[in-house]
Amino acid sequence: MMITRPLMFLVIFVTIMSCNSPKKEVTTKLDTFNVKAVLDVSVLKEKQVTKTLVSADSFPRNIDKGNKNWNFVDVKDWCSGFFPGALWFAYEYSGDESTKDQAAKFTLPIKTIAYTKADNHDIGFMVYGSYGNGYRLTGNKEYKEVLLAAADTLATLYNPKVGSILSWPSQMHKFKHNTIIDNMMNLELLFWAAKNGGSQDLYDIAKSHAEITMKHIVRKDSAVYHVGSFDENTGEFLRGYTHQGYADESMWARGQTWGIYGFSIAYRETGEQAFLDTAIKLTDHYINRLPEDKIPYWDFDDPKIPNAPKDASAAGVAACGMLELSTLVKDEKLKAKYYNAAVSYIKELSTDKYLSGDTNQALLLHSTGHYPNNSEIDVPIVYADYYFMEALVRLNKMQEAALK
Ligand code: GLY
C-alpha cells in the first residue's frame, strides 16, 4: 500500500500520542505506601498489650467509649478467634518467639469449638482465624486435626434441600432456614479441609453454599442482603432481610465486604467464573459508593450520613478482599485498580484518625458492630484489628514479592 504524506503524518502522530499517553501508566501503576512502618508500630503494640492480659480462656472483643482496656468474652463468642489470629499475623511479620507463644496460648482453648455440636456458622471465624493461621505458620499436626474436626462440625449445618449452611440455628423461628452473607467467609475452612485430608463433600458443600448465596442473597442492585430466608424442605427462597443493617434493601457496609472477600475466595478455590464476576460486581459497587475518606459509614443508606458512625472493620475486610481480588483478575488495569483501592483503605486506617495509638489497647478506632441493637457503635472491635493486621501483612508480602 502506498502511504501518502498526510496518512504518514497521521500514523506518526497517533504513534507518538499513544507512546506518551499518561493514561496507561497511571492506571497500572501500583501505590508504594510504606507498610512496614505501620506494621512495626502495630506488631509492637500487640506484643505489649498481650503481656498485660492474664488469661487465655477469655478473649478481647471490644472497648467501651472512653475506656482504655479490652472487654473480654468467652470461647463460645463468635469473636474468640480474632485476637489469637491477630497475634499470628504479628508473629508472621516479626518472627518474634514470645508473640508466637502468646498466639498459641490464646489459640489452644478454641479447640473445644471444633468438637462441640454446631450452633452457628461462626466456627469458621473462630477456628480458621486462630488454628488456621497457626497451622499455616507452624505446620503443627495437632492444629490440623482441630481444623479438620471443625470443618466436619460446620458441615453438620448444611441442608441439602436448600443447598446451603444454616447460619443461625437459633434464629429459625424468625428467618426459617437462614443463610447470611457473613457465612461466605467460613467456606474457606471447608475448602481447606477438602484439600488437606478431609472429605470431598466439604468442597461440594462450600461450592453449593456459594452458588445459593450468589443466586439469592446477591441482589440485582449489586449490594447484598444480610440474611436470606429459605423453606427448609423445598429450598424455596422466601425473602431477604437485614439483621445488622439499616433496612432490608440497604447496603450494610460489613455485609458487602464479607461478600467481596467471600466470593473472591470462592473463585480462588473453585475457578468458577461466576464467583469472580460476583466479587467484581460487589467490589465495584462498594468502591463507587464510598465516601471521600474511603472508610464506609456503617450502612451506606443510613439517612443520618454524614453524621452516622463509620465502620473501620468493613474497610479492613474490604482491603483484604481487594488485595486477594487483585491477584485473581488477569487484566493489569483491574489488578492495579483493586490493589490501589485496598492500599488507599490501609493508608487511611493508618492515619491518626483511625489508629488508636495510646488511646486504648486496640489497634483501630471507629468500628460499628450492631447498630440496630445499639451495640458496639463507633468503638474498637477485635475483628477490625484482625483484618487490619491481615491486610498489612498481606500487603507487605506483596510488596516484597514485587521487589524480587
Ligand atoms: N458476623 C457478624 C458481623 O459481621 O457482625
Side-chain angles (χ1 to χ4, degrees):
M1 187 181 77
M2 255 275 290
I3 299 187
T4 59
R5 261 176 98 81
L7 182 58
M8 198 164 74
F9 279 127
L10 182 66
V11 170
I12 292 169
F13 176 75
V14 169
T15 309
I16 291 170
M17 288 309 286
S18 59
C19 289
N20 288 349
S21 165
K23 211 169 157 205
K24 192 163 182 228
E25 205 197 327
V26 171
T27 52
T28 59
K29 201 170 156 194
L30 303 183
D31 191 312
T32 56
F33 172 63
N34 178 6
V35 72
K36 283 196 196 305
V38 191
L39 262 170
D40 288 338
V41 174
S42 305
V43 164
L44 186 65
K45 182 165 181 185
E46 289 294 69
K47 186 176 169 177
Q48 285 170 345
V49 166
T50 308
K51 269 193 209 149
T52 69
L53 307 180
V54 283
S55 167
D57 292 336
S58 56
F59 303 84
R61 161 129 189 186
N62 55 37
I63 298 178
D64 294 327
K65 261 215 158 79
N67 282 1
K68 267 196 168 309
N69 297 335
W70 284 114
N71 295 318
F72 291 85
V73 287
D74 78 14
V75 70
K76 291 202 195 88
D77 189 277
W78 82 276
C79 293
S80 60
F82 291 120
F83 188 72
L87 294 180
W88 283 119
F89 287 124
Y91 164 64
E92 181 172 8
Y93 173 69
S94 64
D96 175 65
E97 286 297 318
S98 68
T99 304
K100 180 185 176 188
D101 292 346
Q102 292 287 354
K105 193 172 107 183
F106 277 89
T107 292
L108 201 61
I110 295 171
K111 181 175 179 178
T112 183
I113 300 301
Y115 299 97
T116 306
K117 186 176 176 321
D119 60 9
N120 62 60
H121 72 107
D122 293 317
I123 296 164
F125 285 118
M126 297 148 102
V127 182
Y128 204 68
S130 54
Y131 278 87
N133 282 308
Y135 181 67
R136 183 173 62 80
L137 296 171
T138 65
N140 181 332
K141 289 204 173 58
E142 285 169 26
Y143 290 2
K144 184 177 180 182
E145 272 171 37
V146 174
L147 285 161
L148 289 171
D152 289 341
T153 301
L154 176 56
T156 62
L157 294 176
Y158 181 70
N159 178 339
K161 292 183 194 145
V162 182
S164 73
I165 290 164
L166 170 63
S167 303
W168 291 329
S170 66
Q171 296 296 314
M172 284 285 282
H173 64 284
K174 192 168 170 196
F175 299 123
K176 303 201 164 38
H177 174 98
N178 55 79
T179 288
I180 69 170
I181 190 67
D182 325 27
N183 200 149
M184 282 300 297
M185 293 299 294
N186 294 324
L187 305 183
E188 195 170 11
L189 172 66
L190 303 180
F191 285 128
W192 175 90
K195 283 194 298 200
N196 285 277
S199 160
Q200 289 314 292
D201 292 349
L202 299 170
Y203 175 94
D204 297 337
I205 288 172
K207 187 164 174 242
S208 171
H209 181 99
E211 280 163 355
I212 292 295
T213 304
M214 180 172 65
K215 187 164 170 202
H216 298 295
I217 295 179
V218 174
R219 300 195 309 239
K220 291 203 168 42
D221 66 356
S222 302
V224 295
Y225 288 119
H226 185 187
V227 185
S229 166
F230 298 84
D231 183 297
E232 66 179 306
N233 294 310
T234 65
E236 183 194 353
F237 175 66
L238 301 172
R239 56 166 287 197
Y241 292 88
T242 196
H243 180 62
Q244 282 162 256
Y246 172 72
D248 291 340
E249 304 291 328
S250 73
M251 186 164 137
W252 174 48
R254 199 164 51 258
Q256 189 78 8
T257 63
W258 291 142
I260 289 168
Y261 198 3
F263 278 104
S264 298
I265 293 168
Y267 172 69
R268 186 191 73 204
E269 296 299 326
T270 63
E272 281 293 318
Q273 183 64 34
F275 295 156
L276 180 64
D277 295 344
T278 301
I280 289 174
K281 179 165 105 169
L282 300 184
T283 302
D284 288 346
H285 192 55
Y286 176 87
I287 290 174
N288 291 341
R289 295 199 67 195
L290 280 176
E292 207 168 327
D293 79 349
K294 307 270 201 300
I295 309 300
Y297 294 97
W298 74 283
D299 188 304
F300 286 72
D301 296 297
D302 182 347
K304 291 206 190 93
I305 291 172
N307 297 315
K310 295 277 188 150
D311 184 13
S313 76
V317 178
C320 294
M322 290 186 208
L323 286 179
E324 179 75 46
L325 187 57
S326 76
T327 69
L328 301 172
V329 291
K330 302 273 178 304
D331 180 87
E332 290 302 320
K333 286 184 196 161
L334 273 188
K335 273 185 193 299
K337 174 181 174 180
Y338 299 132
Y339 180 93
N340 289 338
V343 176
S344 71
Y345 314 152
I346 296 169
K347 258 185 187 170
E348 183 65 24
L349 291 175
S350 303
T351 63
D352 288 348
K353 191 169 161 197
Y354 289 97
L355 270 194
S356 302
D358 295 334
T359 317
N360 57 50
Q361 292 185 318
L363 297 179
L364 289 180
L365 305 164
H366 305 310
S367 290
T368 296
H370 194 153
Y371 187 96
N373 216 20
N374 202 20
S375 103
E376 297 181 317
I377 298 176
D378 194 16
V379 293
I381 308 180
V382 69
Y383 46 82
D385 286 9
Y386 173 89
Y387 288 102
F388 183 55
M389 282 298 296
E390 177 180 335
L392 294 172
V393 171
R394 261 175 182 264
L395 179 58
N396 183 52
K397 287 202 289 194
M398 290 170 88
Q399 287 181 344
E400 283 182 344
L403 289 176
K404 281 185 187 148

